Amino acid sequence: NQMAAYLEDVEAQRVALIGNVAHELRTPLNNIRMTMEGLIDEVFAPDTETFLQIQHEVSRLQRLVVQLEQLSQAESGQIPLHLQTVNYGQLVTDVCERMEVQYDSKGVVLALECSDPLPLLCVDPDHITQVLVNLLGNALQYTPPAGRVNVQITAGSGAITTRIADTGIGIQPEDLPRIFERFYRADKSRSRSSGGNGIGLTIARQLVLAHGGTIGAESAGVGRGSVFTFTLPVDPRPSSERSDSEVP
């Protein structure tokens, strides 16, 4: 009975995944088709604005395909890690500077607080950059203009903790346990209207777990903001892979 229930749950997840992927592909493809038909029927002018709309939808499809590929690798445990020793404080600063234009255009303040000094961190910088971009992008998406997102970095107990707190719409208690599930949206209508597809947080979680870290979310409720926290070990390699001089 337990095996039958498990297989039934797996099949339900597979069907849901196919449905979600189909929905996410259908929307940009329909927009492209309608625009092209409008060009053929001369309803739309073949000007720069029209072609930019098509380019936007194509880029949206490309992002989705890349995310689905990353999700497949992550959930099958096949994420390749190219570990490097990095200055984590500088890595986070660079990511915040890259996203500052998006925050400024929406009128949301992005503030970074970093304890000093931080130990050097052994991570895959590209993957951790993606974690930060996904979490900061999520915070921006759900924080209204004149809001604020605070990034706080602290070190202790052989790990570095990153805390991203926003003054956004918050999360209902019943949604918190499922917030990192693939394609899950706490607010489906709001997510779709703003371009979210429910994959970013899932990928972020898998990338953090691949580094031997932890990630979680908390919220005091709707309208009271959210806090996403992830912790990365200073050196994720097992002791057997380190030299004698490296093992504490």
Side-chain angles (χ1 to χ4, degrees):
N1 289 337
Q2 290 179 344
M3 179 62 72
Y6 171 76
L7 292 175
E8 184 178 351
D9 181 61
V10 170
E11 177 63 13
Q13 291 184 35
R14 186 188 69 83
V15 172
L17 174 62
I18 293 173
N20 281 314
V21 171
H23 171 81
E24 297 299 338
L25 291 172
R26 186 185 304 115
T27 302
L29 284 174
N30 280 342
N31 291 341
I32 293 172
R33 179 183 59 81
M34 291 171 60
T35 304
M36 295 300 295
E37 288 177 353
L39 286 170
I40 293 172
D41 295 337
E42 298 183 353
V43 175
F44 300 141
D47 53 20
T48 302
E49 182 179 354
T50 301
F51 291 124
L52 284 175
Q53 291 176 359
I54 297 175
Q55 184 187 48
H56 172 75
E57 297 299 340
V58 171
S59 297
R60 184 176 169 185
L61 282 171
Q62 288 178 326
R63 287 195 301 271
L64 177 60
V65 170
V66 169
Q67 285 183 321
L68 288 172
E69 183 180 23
Q70 292 171 337
L71 182 62
S72 175
Q73 290 179 337
E75 294 192 335
S76 62
Q78 297 178 349
I79 302 177
L81 293 181
H82 304 289
L83 299 178
Q84 301 177 32
T85 301
V86 301
N87 181 330
Y88 184 66
Q90 186 60 53
L91 187 151
V92 178
T93 299
D94 291 343
V95 173
C96 289
E97 289 178 351
R98 281 171 47 189
M99 300 198 67
E100 196 167 354
V101 173
Q102 300 177 44
Y103 272 76
D104 288 345
S105 65
K106 189 175 179 180
V108 176
V109 175
L110 177 60
L112 172 61
E113 178 185 345
C114 184
S115 61
D116 192 42
L118 289 174
L120 294 176
L121 196 61
C122 185
V123 297
D124 184 317
D126 291 335
H127 287 332
I128 298 306
T129 294
Q130 184 174 2
V131 171
L132 291 164
V133 169
N134 287 3
L135 293 179
L136 289 173
N138 184 76
L140 177 62
Q141 180 178 336
Y142 293 108
T143 301
R148 184 180 182 89
V149 175
N150 292 321
V151 181
Q152 184 181 42
I153 306 171
T154 56
S157 302
I160 292 180
T161 299
T162 305
R163 183 177 185 271
I164 300 175
D166 64 60
T167 59
I169 64 173
I171 305 171
Q172 295 185 13
E174 60 269 26
D175 289 320
L176 279 172
R178 302 188 61 191
I179 202 71
F180 291 102
E181 291 182 13
R182 61 189 180 192
F183 292 106
Y184 185 77
R185 296 179 177 89
D187 185 337
K188 296 178 175 57
S189 60
R190 185 185 295 267
S191 295
R192 288 197 173 110
S193 65
S194 56
N197 55 31
I199 301 178
L201 290 181
T202 306
I203 293 174
R205 177 179 181 272
Q206 295 293 344
L207 291 177
V208 170
L209 293 179
H211 283 80
T214 61
I215 188 170
E218 56 186 287
S219 174
V222 176
R224 305 182 66 179
S226 306
V227 180
F228 286 81
T229 304
F230 67 94
T231 300
L232 296 169
V234 173
D235 191 339
R237 297 173 299 169
S239 298
S240 58
E241 295 183 11
R242 307 181 212 169
S243 65
D244 293 338
S245 60
E246 291 180 300
V247 178

